[in-house]
Amino acid sequence: MPKLVGVFDQPLRVANAVERLQGRGYTDLEVYSPVPSHELDRAVDKKPSRVRIFTLIGGLTGVVTGYAMTIWMANDWQIMLGGKPFASIPPYTIIAFELTILFGGLLTALGLFAVAKLPKFRLDPVYSARFSAEDFGLVVECRERDVAEIEALLRDHGATEIDLVDA
Amino acid sequence: MTPPPPPPPAASVAAMIRPAPSLPDSKVNRDLLRVMEGTSLGYWLLVLVAGGFMLLAGGIWIYQVYKGLGIAGYVHPVFWGAYIVTFVFWVGIAHAGTLISAILYLFRAKWRNAINRSAEAMTVFAVLTAAQFLGIHVGRIWKSYFILPYPNQRGLWVNFKSPLLWDTFAISTYATISIVFLYVGLIPDLAIARDRASGWRRVLYAILSLGWQGTSREWKSHNRTVLHLSGLATPLVLSVHSVVSWDFAMSIVPGWHATIFGPYFVAGAIFSGFAMVLTMMIPVRRIFGLEEYITNYHFENMSRFILLTSIIVGYAYVAEYFIAYYSAVEHEQSAFWLRAFGPYWISTWVMILCNAGFPQLLWFKKLRTNVPFLFVLSVLINIGMWFERYVIIITGLSREYNTSAWGVYTPSWPELGIVAGSFGFFCFLFLLFLKLFPVVAIAEVKEIAIHEKEHKGEEWNHAHTYGELH
């Protein structure tokens, strides 16, 4: 199937083009952007990123590990102090807090790799160094007969350059 | 939404905006990647000096391992000396990076974009420097695993009620999270470098950038990750120096035993961290000609932070004296009298002048925007903050309850050598970082540039430039 690569210089134009294309039923899109752009994020995918699940799981694992480790260790070698309980929760809260952050942070990073599908060992053929300069790329994979329509649509939305790649 | 311009013939527009379409690039990329190119004689000289101090400290440390902690200037009852002072100092320095990249990120303070990378790198290097002092301070380095939750020969676990152990967890969490934060932020910039580098650098950046292409899927996850890491790092950065302060505040040593220590230490840490960012970035900006990206506006904003935290620190100095007076506890009062007029009076007055006195000059806008003045002031603050920890730790210990057990500690030359070496280590890592990684966050600076381009000639739309919490 042929691929159309539209090059843009402003993220808002790409976002508009993406929304229009999606509205017309072209969902096989890929966007390359040199900068983070919330407009683009929202245009391509309305749902919030799944990274948040990873943070939640990491944080919960951390807090449970923190308390479990400290309480278990206090009871594994019991030190009697004035008949008080072996485990003392307030200081252990500090350990639990630190481990919440540690596990939460590490799993968030892992979430980035999992959700963004990194590492990637081969760059996409349509990717080029211009997309890490100041150009935005919108790649549409479509049937032969839709090429003209999409090309017009991209141009309508301010594409500065349009390439046709046969894949 | 942007009204699309009349559709021009694509090829001619492309030719207009890009005279050489074979090598598309942006000014931001060129300017900021240039920092990593080429090494002058001056650079190697600095590396040599920093590396020399580092090696000197390494040599002294080996000597200390051989001879034992006796070579430190410890005098009964002072067994926490320059090593712990310097440890607390470097942990404090480490606070600016996370403050800039996490807290200012959450507050959507866009000016952080130009300085966050260098501050984050300094955070990582400062934590690494600080962490070494735990090993140096315990003397018998081969026993330092005792601070980890690993049972000793008799199956005894570590004491989780000890602030020193909380510190272990806080510092190691902080080191890990700040490394993750730095690396995650670097990935898009490493891809930029990968696309433009050649030779071994291309291989290095290709591996480290993990095949980043800036697809919307990648950016979306990246934005989310940075948001969550900021959310996690914000309470972390506030907790780390609070926990360090509890190393002291949880004891009953006069001068240490104060509930004000948490906020007092955190404010001091931010204060010294910003000062260190100024100390390092003022020369870097000048040497690499980054005036366009790191402007006086950034320095002025940082000096506002310095002024604010200086006032908090100054308030804490006063409050400590008031608490001593108001408590009517003789030992507390004597500790604070001796702090200002005892054997360590010089350190105390250096501390007060450098941390609470001189920074007040920043009330004047003329001085806030005077870069040479800021540089001198930031060095003075660094000195003052080292002395603050010296004053707190040494005066407290040397004058405890029992007058017959008083002693006067002076750092020995091996201790001072290792302290000097820690500065060498920090500068050495920072110098390497300058040449290996983009010292200004390229993608984030470009974000502002592209937004400005987009909004030029249009009605200013605040929500677009500053984004929303998403």
Side-chain angles (χ1 to χ4, degrees), chain A residues 13-69:
Chain A
R13 290 179 183 167
V14 190
N16 291 341
V18 165
E19 277 178 343
R20 180 70 68 83
L21 283 165
Q22 282 174 340
R24 293 213 190 158
Y26 301 108
T27 47
D28 209 345
L29 307 174
E30 183 68 282
V31 173
Y32 298 99
S33 162
V35 295
S37 161
H38 293 285
E39 292 90 353
L40 267 178
D41 283 357
R42 257 176 309 217
V44 175
D45 187 0
K46 302 276 185 297
K47 291 189 295 283
S49 170
R50 278 182 294 124
V51 170
R52 57 192 192 150
I53 304 291
F54 286 82
T55 315
L56 181 70
I57 293 171
L60 291 177
T61 315
V63 71
V64 171
T65 311
Y67 279 121
M69 177 179 72

Side-chain angles (χ1 to χ4, degrees), chain A residues 7 9-13 16 19 30-42 44-53 55 69-70 72-74 76-77 79 81 85-88 91-92 94-95 97-102 104-106 108-109 111-113 115-120 122-124 127-136 155-162, chain B residues 1-5 7-11 13-14 17-18 24-29 105 108 149 154-158 160-161 165-166 169-170 172-173 176-177 180 183-184 187 191-192 194-196 209-225 228-229 232-233 235-236 239-240 243 246 443-444 446-447 449-451 453-455 458 463-464 467-468 470:
Chain A
V7 178
D9 62 352
Q10 291 182 16
L12 273 183
R13 290 179 183 167
N16 291 341
E19 277 178 343
E30 183 68 282
V31 173
Y32 298 99
S33 162
V35 295
S37 161
H38 293 285
E39 292 90 353
L40 267 178
D41 283 357
R42 257 176 309 217
V44 175
D45 187 0
K46 302 276 185 297
K47 291 189 295 283
S49 170
R50 278 182 294 124
V51 170
R52 57 192 192 150
I53 304 291
T55 315
M69 177 179 72
T70 45
W72 176 75
M73 286 178 185
D76 184 51
W77 182 287
I79 299 171
L81 275 174
F86 299 114
S88 110
Y92 298 172
I94 295 164
I95 306 291
F97 169 80
E98 298 296 345
L99 290 189
T100 307
I101 307 272
L102 179 65
L106 287 176
T108 307
L112 166 66
F113 300 147
V115 176
K117 297 190 176 146
L118 296 173
K120 197 168 218 163
R122 200 169 296 257
L123 298 183
D124 299 344
Y127 176 81
S128 88
R130 67 191 308 175
F131 300 137
S132 60
E134 277 185 13
D135 287 333
F136 295 76
R155 193 150 288 155
D156 261 1
H157 282 84
T160 54
E161 204 180 313
I162 296 169
Chain B
M1 291 285 116
T2 320
V13 174
I17 56 169
R18 271 181 307 277
D25 209 347
S26 77
K27 183 175 168 349
V28 180
N29 284 355
Y105 175 81
R108 295 291 183 265
R154 295 164 59 208
L156 179 66
W157 294 98
V158 287
F160 282 109
K161 293 171 197 164
L165 198 65
W166 306 343
F169 275 78
S172 46
T173 300
T176 314
I177 295 298
V180 168
Y183 179 59
V184 165
I187 294 174
I192 295 172
R194 170 202 65 203
D195 291 346
R196 281 154 192 86
S209 64
L210 306 174
W212 175 274
Q213 301 172 107
T215 63
S216 47
R217 182 189 200 90
E218 288 167 359
W219 274 122
K220 200 179 175 90
S221 324
H222 193 267
N223 289 339
R224 196 34 100 152
T225 305
H228 284 206
L229 284 177
L232 290 167
L236 176 66
S239 85
V240 170
V243 169
W246 293 336
E444 291 182 45
K446 214 188 290 168
E447 187 188 353
I450 285 180
H451 270 298
K453 190 165 78 179
E454 195 167 62
H455 292 285
E458 280 179 43
H464 281 152
E468 287 157 41
H470 232 281

Side-chain angles (χ1 to χ4, degrees), chain B residues 26-318:
Chain B
S26 77
K27 183 175 168 349
V28 180
N29 284 355
R30 274 194 307 274
D31 287 355
L32 295 179
L33 289 174
R34 202 177 48 220
V35 175
M36 309 198 294
E37 285 164 10
T39 44
S40 63
L41 187 68
Y43 174 80
W44 288 114
L45 220 62
L46 283 174
V47 170
L48 204 70
V49 172
F53 273 104
M54 190 174 89
L55 290 178
L56 172 80
I60 298 171
W61 177 70
I62 291 170
Y63 177 63
Q64 180 185 288
V65 169
Y66 178 67
K67 296 288 277 189
L69 272 179
I71 65 160
Y74 296 149
V75 174
H76 185 81
V78 185
F79 293 105
W80 279 15
Y83 297 148
I84 293 295
V85 171
T86 316
F87 163 74
V88 181
F89 173 80
W90 283 113
V91 178
I93 296 296
H95 277 56
T98 312
L99 184 103
I100 291 173
S101 42
I103 300 182
L104 294 188
Y105 175 81
L106 294 181
F107 279 103
R108 295 291 183 265
K110 284 279 176 186
W111 62 273
R112 61 180 266 290
N113 286 14
I115 47 165
N116 63 348
R117 173 68 43 73
S118 47
E120 280 167 36
M122 279 182 223
T123 291
V124 170
F125 303 149
V127 180
L128 293 180
T129 314
Q132 292 180 64
F133 277 91
L134 296 176
I136 297 168
H137 171 76
V138 296
R140 299 180 197 178
I141 182 74
W142 53 95
K143 301 260 188 199
S144 51
Y145 72 90
F146 273 30
I147 60 173
L148 300 175
Y150 174 85
N152 69 6
Q153 292 87 332
R154 295 164 59 208
L156 179 66
W157 294 98
V158 287
N159 180 7
F160 282 109
K161 293 171 197 164
S162 161
L164 301 183
L165 198 65
W166 306 343
D167 212 8
T168 307
F169 275 78
I171 299 290
S172 46
T173 300
Y174 194 50
T176 314
I177 295 298
S178 46
I179 290 170
V180 168
F181 213 131
L182 176 67
Y183 179 59
V184 165
L186 265 171
I187 294 174
D189 286 1
L190 290 170
I192 295 172
R194 170 202 65 203
D195 291 346
R196 281 154 192 86
S198 55
W200 63 270
R201 275 177 186 269
R202 192 178 170 83
V203 177
L204 176 74
Y205 299 137
I207 294 169
L208 289 178
S209 64
L210 306 174
W212 175 274
Q213 301 172 107
T215 63
S216 47
R217 182 189 200 90
E218 288 167 359
W219 274 122
K220 200 179 175 90
S221 324
H222 193 267
N223 289 339
R224 196 34 100 152
T225 305
V226 172
L227 176 69
H228 284 206
L229 284 177
S230 305
L232 290 167
T234 299
L236 176 66
V237 68
L238 300 178
S239 85
V240 170
H241 228 57
S242 301
V243 169
V244 170
S245 82
W246 293 336
D247 287 348
F248 308 103
M250 288 286 174
S251 72
I252 53 163
V253 176
W256 288 11
H257 188 53
T259 48
I260 196 178
F261 262 41
Y264 167 28
F265 268 50
V266 171
I270 294 165
F271 178 61
S272 64
F274 270 106
M276 187 57 99
V277 173
L278 281 182
T279 311
M280 303 298 274
M281 290 320 283
I282 287 174
V284 166
R285 178 180 92 154
R286 192 175 160 83
I287 293 167
F288 296 106
L290 295 174
E291 280 86 355
E292 205 177 321
Y293 299 94
I294 305 170
T295 61
N296 283 359
Y297 171 68
H298 295 104
F299 288 157
E300 196 192 340
N301 274 347
M302 282 194 271
S303 45
R304 283 168 201 259
F305 263 98
I306 289 176
L307 179 60
L308 172 72
T309 44
S310 159
I311 294 168
I312 299 176
V313 167
Y315 170 75
Y317 295 162
V318 177

